[in-house]
Amino acid sequence: EQKSLEFEVALPDKIPEMPLDKDKMATTLVNLLGNAAKYTLPGGRVALRVKLAPHELHIDVEDTGVGIPPGDLPRVFEKFFRGDDPRVQQETGTGLGLSLAREIVRLHGGDLTVHSEFDKGSTFTVLLPLKGGA
């Protein structure tokens, strides 16, 4: 609200039961959504989209934020890494959130990836396997 961000949510009607540590997955989503809001300029947009595929659950957290420079993309999941962009440096952070989020997702048999365009925004995608298909 302080930044007048538009927040979109798109969820399927039903998500199958999955063997997840709910607290750890909540930590992952809070980190991804928090980063999206933190690095999106006032008046921007943050979206949470959940989709079912035949064998996996896709969770996208998309923003219209500052984006990640191409040279930084390979390092965003490294512990303690924070980009040099002044818009990143002015925000508080330890550089541990994305590393922790990826580790949590991988412990659940999935993966966390990122697609980003500098000055246009980022999409972080969580892929989690579904037992027996959707």
Side-chain angles (χ1 to χ4, degrees):
E1 287 181 10
Q2 292 173 339
K3 293 172 82 173
S4 299
L5 298 179
E6 180 183 341
F7 183 57
E8 298 175 13
V9 178
L11 303 171
D13 291 333
K14 186 175 180 185
I15 297 174
E17 221 173 280
M18 299 173 70
L20 301 174
D21 182 319
K22 290 180 180 104
D23 290 335
K24 285 185 175 57
M25 287 308 300
T27 297
T28 296
L29 292 176
V30 165
N31 176 270
L32 295 175
L33 290 165
N35 282 352
K38 188 188 311 189
Y39 297 113
T40 297
L41 301 176
R45 181 181 50 79
V46 172
L48 171 67
R49 295 189 178 90
V50 180
K51 298 174 274 194
L52 285 171
H55 300 287
E56 57 193 4
L57 183 72
H58 294 238
I59 303 169
D60 289 325
V61 175
E62 178 184 307
D63 65 58
T64 59
V66 299
I68 302 166
D72 288 353
L73 275 172
R75 301 192 60 207
V76 295
F77 295 109
E78 289 179 15
K79 287 181 183 173
F80 303 110
F81 177 77
R82 297 195 72 220
D84 292 330
D85 187 309
R87 297 171 295 182
V88 171
Q89 291 297 316
Q90 75 185 9
E91 299 290 345
T92 59
T94 61
L96 288 171
L98 289 175
S99 174
L100 175 63
R102 183 179 244 184
E103 184 64 22
I104 289 169
V105 172
R106 286 184 169 173
L107 286 171
H108 285 85
D111 200 10
L112 172 60
T113 60
V114 61
H115 172 77
S116 185
E117 291 186 57
F118 188 59
D119 283 334
K120 291 188 178 178
S122 303
T123 302
F124 285 84
T125 301
V126 174
L127 300 173
L128 293 168
L130 293 173
K131 303 290 185 219

